[in-house]
Amino acid sequence: EKLNETEKSIVSALSKGTASLTEIAKKINQPATTVGRYLPSLSEKEVIVKESRGTYKLTDNLFGHWLKEKQAK
């Protein structure tokens, strides 16, 4: 499935490592409520996984780096 722009921003933010919902929101300049709406969708698509203590990470770090490079072009 294709990712929308907000989902791509979240993935790009997580390409730097694990982060909480609040940290992701700050990195992409979006309200935490907005980011929170997209996290379940990304989890269902198996792009991210929720870890203990409410942090999220990419299931495949290479995908995050690839997306970040693609967006830079």
Side-chain angles (χ1 to χ4, degrees):
E1 288 184 53
K2 290 188 175 187
L3 302 180
N4 66 39
E5 291 306 311
T6 303
E7 290 173 326
K8 289 176 185 176
S9 295
I10 292 169
V11 170
S12 181
L14 287 173
S15 71
K16 299 174 181 106
T18 61
S20 69
L21 185 150
T22 305
E23 292 168 335
I24 297 167
K26 286 179 185 177
K27 288 179 182 182
I28 68 168
N29 269 344
Q30 291 288 331
T33 53
T34 299
V35 173
R37 280 184 258 155
Y38 291 97
L39 296 177
S41 171
L42 287 169
S43 183
E44 287 176 21
K45 294 175 184 176
E46 298 181 352
V47 175
I48 65 168
V49 64
K50 184 175 182 179
E51 294 192 310
S52 61
R53 294 181 253 140
T55 59
Y56 296 85
K57 73 173 191 172
L58 294 178
T59 55
D60 182 352
N61 284 329
L62 185 58
F63 174 66
H65 293 294
W66 173 81
L67 182 61
K68 194 171 158 184
E69 289 295 318
K70 186 174 179 182
Q71 287 178 323
K73 291 181 181 180

